[in-house]
């Protein structure tokens, strides 16, 4: 029974008389009315909340940052928009936290080449863990010359061209393809592939149905060409077919069909020559006589 707990000091000799007097008469200290949190809480160590060298603003800012979800903005401008302290005081508080190990700020390059600042909040300075999966991955290796030559770049879609207002005959399609194929005679830069010709042909037909002659259309496509190289001649021609498209011609009333003129034939009754369809064997005179004297 004479064994004592070495971690427990005798209470009668633990405090000086002055402290005993203070504890009996001092009643202005804090009293905690605590309720256990079950949701929406964060664990923060006393080493931060009671830090001896951090300012009150730095302690409060450190607690706020540790309570934020991953990915929340913690740059100076975002924090200044959230709190009434200015950018100067917030910047000083962030530097305090960084000095004491509660923040790490690194400039990293994203896979797209953009430079960003990545901020890491440490709830226990000195206990650094492995990088989180959400950290920015290193940029991919640059492709070599062999990779660039073996993997062709995807072809960019050509701009749209005007479409005919009605179905065009096959002969009109051939006329449009022939016109596009002869543009390279005016300028070698206007050499087109078969796919480019198929894409541009409806735009050419839209011009032809507006009563534009092939010569006038060829002139509209080839006049005042730029001096610099045409890397995509089909895109250049698509722009001109769309930008310079003339309006449809005015509506005209269709002309009356020409009267049918039958060929000459001999009447089976009187052998007189007359004009009539092949189904009519008699001339008008014989038809009238047959109607009068049946």
């Amino acid at each position: 029974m004479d064994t004592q707990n070495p971690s427990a000091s005798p209470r009668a000799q633990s405090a000086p008389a002055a402290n005993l007097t203070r504890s009996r008469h001092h009643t202005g200290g804090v009293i905690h009315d605590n309720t256990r949190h079950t949701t929406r809480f964060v664990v923060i160590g006393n080493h931060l909340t009671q830090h001896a060298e951090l300012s009150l603003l730095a302690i409060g800012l450190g607690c706020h940052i540790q309570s934020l979800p991953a990915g929340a903005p913690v740059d100076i401008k975002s924090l200044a928009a959230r709190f009434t302290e200015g950018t100067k005081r917030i910047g000083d508080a962030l530097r305090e936290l960084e000095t004491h190990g509660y923040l790490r700020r690194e400039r990293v390059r994203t896979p797209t080449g953009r430079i960003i600042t990545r901020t890491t909040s440490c709830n226990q300075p000195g206990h650094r863990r492995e990088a989180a999966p959400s950290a920015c991955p290193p940029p991919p290796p640059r492709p070599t010359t062999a990779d660039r030559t073996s993997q062709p770049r995807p072809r960019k879609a050509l701009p749209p061209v005007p479409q005919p207002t009605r179905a065009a005959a096959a002969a009109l399609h051939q006329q449009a393809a022939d016109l596009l194929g002869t543009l390279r005679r005016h300028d070698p830069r206007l050499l087109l592939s078969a796919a480019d010709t198929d894409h541009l042909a409806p735009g050419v037909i839209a011009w032809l149905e507006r009563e534009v002659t092939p010569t006038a259309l060829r002139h509209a496509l080839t006049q005042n060409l730029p001096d610099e190289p045409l890397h995509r001649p089909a895109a250049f021609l698509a722009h001109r077919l769309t930008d310079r498209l003339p309006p449809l011609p005015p509506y005209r009333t269709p002309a009356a069909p020409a009267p049918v003129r039958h060929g000459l034939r001999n009447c089976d009754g009187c052998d007189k020559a007359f004009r009539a369809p092949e189904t009519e064997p008699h001339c008008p005179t014989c038809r009238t006589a047959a109607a009068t004297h049946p």
Side-chain angles (χ1 to χ4, degrees), residues 186-201:
H186 179 84
D187 193 313
R189 296 177 297 172
L190 298 180
L191 177 64
L192 302 173
S193 66
D196 293 339
T197 301
D198 292 339
H199 179 82
L200 297 174

Side-chain angles (χ1 to χ4, degrees), residues 86-133:
T87 56
K88 174 65 168 58
R89 295 185 62 192
I90 290 178
D92 293 341
L94 290 176
R95 282 186 288 274
E96 287 186 61
L97 294 172
E98 193 171 14
T99 300
H100 290 278
Y102 289 98
L103 283 184
R104 292 196 307 269
R105 291 188 285 186
E106 306 169 276
R107 295 179 65 82
V108 296
R109 184 185 299 272
T110 65
T112 59
R114 182 184 176 191
I115 301 296
I116 63 172
T117 299
R118 183 176 61 192
T119 302
T120 304
S121 175
C122 307
N123 67 340
Q124 291 193 49
H127 295 74
R128 186 164 184 167
R129 65 173 185 175
E130 297 295 329

